[in-house]
Amino acid sequence: MPFMKLIITDDYQESCRVAAEMIRDLIAEKPNAKLGLATGGTPVPIYKNLIEMNQHGEIDFSEVRTVNLDEYIGLDGSHPQSYRYFMDTNLFDHININKANTYVASGIGNAVQNAAILDAKVIENGVPDLQLLGIGNNGHIAFNEAGDHLVACSHIEHLTQSTIDANARFFESKDEVPTTAITMGMRGILSSKMPLLVATGAAKADAIRGLLTNEEITTQNPSTFLKLHSNAVVIIDRELATLVGI
Ligand code: PGA
């Protein structure tokens, strides 16, 4: 597989440690690094590692800048299921970052304008040095959903049933899952200097197989567009690699 770097770890715990170490090393080299960050279940242990490293003096976030991939439309940042709240409680509140240097799109107000602001934030003072990514069961990255086309700029996305079903676990009931979100577009993701995708679990096997085992690019699996990037990194554990057949 030219260009894309694949790291296969013993287990998901190790995947998360390796991802956190890559972020640590980046910040050591560039103290004001710009990180593109992600939400969802996958990055939570990565953020736990970063919090520990910060507490042990191994990372200084004081000059670090961040921009997040997406936010649900209709949820204020104080809503426990909003991605702003997620980032605060899973990372920012526990590290020495200046929250003024963190950006999560607003889920309330004019969504079109909010998406345009997100696009401006992606390139403000330089593109992200590293973009952390999870992957949806349907291959989505951020909320760029699988379908007959993708969108380059940050935009409003109607979530697929697969995504709503997958994310229902974070809500009291499926009915509460927002059906629309603001998401960074494919250009924003591919503009980062290093997309870093971490995946685990059998539900991701089909999407990861499409990403790693052939040279095809398809809007039906948005993660496959990472094949166009010259510096993308994918971290999966041995269990997932076996399911994928690599
Ligand atoms: P997950 O979501 O980390 O909760 O599995 C990933 C994604 O939907 O991108």
Side-chain angles (χ1 to χ4, degrees):
M1 175 76 48
F3 301 124
M4 193 176 291
K5 182 175 174 191
L6 171 63
I7 300 173
I8 300 176
T9 62
D10 285 344
D11 55 27
Y12 173 51
Q13 204 184 343
E14 190 192 344
S15 297
C16 292
R17 189 170 46 73
V18 170
E21 285 171 357
M22 288 174 67
I23 293 170
R24 178 197 64 193
D25 294 348
L26 168 66
I27 295 170
E29 199 175 303
K30 184 177 179 184
N32 68 342
K34 182 171 178 181
L35 304 177
L37 295 178
T39 53
T42 306
V44 171
I46 300 173
Y47 295 153
K48 285 206 172 88
N49 275 279
L50 292 178
I51 291 166
E52 275 177 30
M53 290 172 177
N54 186 230
Q55 285 167 352
H56 294 150
E58 292 170 39
I59 312 185
D60 177 8
F61 285 95
S62 59
E63 291 179 54
V64 169
R65 301 159 294 142
T66 72
V67 58
N68 258 76
L69 287 170
D70 42 23
E71 178 60 285
Y72 287 121
I73 291 176
L75 302 191
D76 179 78
S78 61
H79 190 288
Q81 302 309 336
S82 74
Y83 287 164
R84 162 51 74 180
Y85 187 93
F86 175 103
M87 289 310 304
D88 286 348
T89 53
N90 283 289
L91 184 63
F92 299 150
D93 286 345
H94 310 288
I95 59 175
N96 71 327
I97 200 163
N98 178 356
K99 271 202 206 173
N101 293 336
T102 70
Y103 186 76
V104 182
S106 173
I108 54 165
N110 183 319
V112 173
Q113 276 174 15
N114 291 340
I117 295 169
L118 173 57
D119 250 0
K121 291 287 180 183
V122 172
I123 55 172
E124 187 177 83
N125 299 317
V127 295
D129 294 290
L130 180 151
Q131 175 63 64
L132 188 59
L133 295 166
I135 185 170
N137 299 347
N138 62 358
H140 75 207
I141 47 176
F143 274 131
N144 294 283
E145 294 283 34
D148 63 7
H149 70 279
L150 291 165
V151 178
C153 63
S154 295
H155 61 281
I156 299 165
E157 188 83 20
H158 293 266
L159 306 186
T160 61
Q161 197 58 46
S162 154
T163 297
I164 291 169
D165 292 348
N167 289 4
R169 69 190 196 277
F170 299 113
F171 291 80
E172 298 269 305
S173 76
K174 203 176 280 190
D175 299 343
E176 286 180 31
V177 185
T179 55
T180 53
I182 290 171
T183 184
M184 197 186 288
M186 297 301 290
R187 179 171 55 223
I189 293 171
L190 292 172
S191 76
S192 76
K193 294 178 191 166
M194 181 194 284
L196 170 60
L197 188 147
V198 182
T200 189
K204 309 289 173 70
D206 287 346
I208 291 292
R209 192 173 299 112
L211 174 61
L212 295 180
T213 66
N214 62 59
E215 289 286 348
E216 284 171 24
I217 295 162
T218 168
T219 59
Q220 299 300 334
N221 179 349
S223 76
T224 59
F225 279 72
L226 294 173
K227 295 175 197 183
L228 296 173
H229 202 284
S230 59
N231 197 36
V233 179
V234 177
I235 306 179
I236 57 174
D237 46 70
R238 167 56 48 206
E239 195 177 327
L240 178 53
T242 302
L243 287 171
V244 167
I246 49 180

